[in-house]
Amino acid sequence: MNNWAIGYETVPGSADVTDQTQTRTDSETSVAGTETEVTNTRQFKANAEVEDFKVIYGEIPLGSFYVRGGVSEITVNTKETASGDGASYGNETLSGTQWGVGFKGIIAEHVRFKVGYEVNDFSTLNLTSTNNAVTGEANTLTADLDTKSFKVAVGVQF
């Protein structure tokens, strides 16, 4: 009756963070643990996917319009090819905030529609490699995985 909404939303499945695998080739000389100078070439490949998006939100009506706010969470799975040094990054769950605006209306008796724009502002992804062959050496990975979306929904109100 008053158009207020409190809800929980989840998106099943996963999606790639980029549409291609990132590749880098490194060459090094004087490989650790050898007495003679040698050259070693290693190829690094990495990609990531996100899954388990969740948000708890509230919507406040402003006539037919609404504003939305909530807290969100997403899991980032790294998909790297292990390098010659054996390092890996692991996975991380990021928390964030969600805000949005939109318009709600009635199509027919008990049939509602909603059109909205939403932004998820996640914390920055910061991963440090572990299990490096050379003690004390580590690589870091940083990414900003914020999202923006436009949604159209139709529902039945009981």
Side-chain angles (χ1 to χ4, degrees):
M1 294 213 352
N2 60 17
N3 259 352
W4 287 77
I6 296 174
Y8 172 78
E9 186 176 311
T10 184
V11 178
S14 63
D16 280 340
V17 171
T18 66
D19 56 359
Q20 65 183 25
T21 299
Q22 305 299 312
T23 303
R24 181 185 86 210
T25 302
D26 288 354
S27 295
E28 65 180 354
T29 55
S30 299
V31 177
T34 61
E35 294 181 18
T36 59
E37 185 175 304
V38 295
T39 300
N40 185 20
T41 301
R42 297 181 292 185
Q43 189 174 61
F44 298 87
K45 293 182 180 181
N47 197 354
E49 68 181 9
V50 292
E51 67 178 1
D52 296 331
F53 171 77
K54 302 172 201 124
V55 62
I56 297 172
Y57 66 89
E59 292 176 354
I60 301 170
L62 302 169
S64 294
F65 293 93
Y66 68 89
V67 293
R68 176 176 173 140
V71 292
S72 53
E73 182 179 272
I74 199 161
T75 301
V76 181
N77 299 318
T78 60
K79 296 168 32 177
E80 71 266 9
T81 299
S83 64
D85 69 358
S88 62
Y89 289 95
N91 302 325
E92 183 80 18
T93 298
L94 301 177
S95 59
T97 57
Q98 183 185 84
W99 64 267
V101 294
F103 178 78
K104 292 180 182 182
I106 300 171
I107 296 174
E109 186 177 351
H110 302 291
V111 180
R112 308 289 188 245
F113 75 91
K114 186 184 337 183
V115 177
Y117 175 77
E118 297 169 10
V119 174
N120 285 287
D121 183 12
F122 293 105
S123 54
T124 301
L125 176 68
N126 289 304
L127 298 175
T128 302
S129 62
T130 58
N131 300 321
N132 292 359
V134 179
T135 304
E137 287 190 10
N139 296 308
T140 58
L141 171 70
T142 302
D144 183 2
L145 298 174
D146 297 346
T147 64
K148 297 174 184 152
S149 63
F150 178 76
K151 292 182 172 181
V152 177
V154 176
V156 176
Q157 184 177 19
F158 299 98

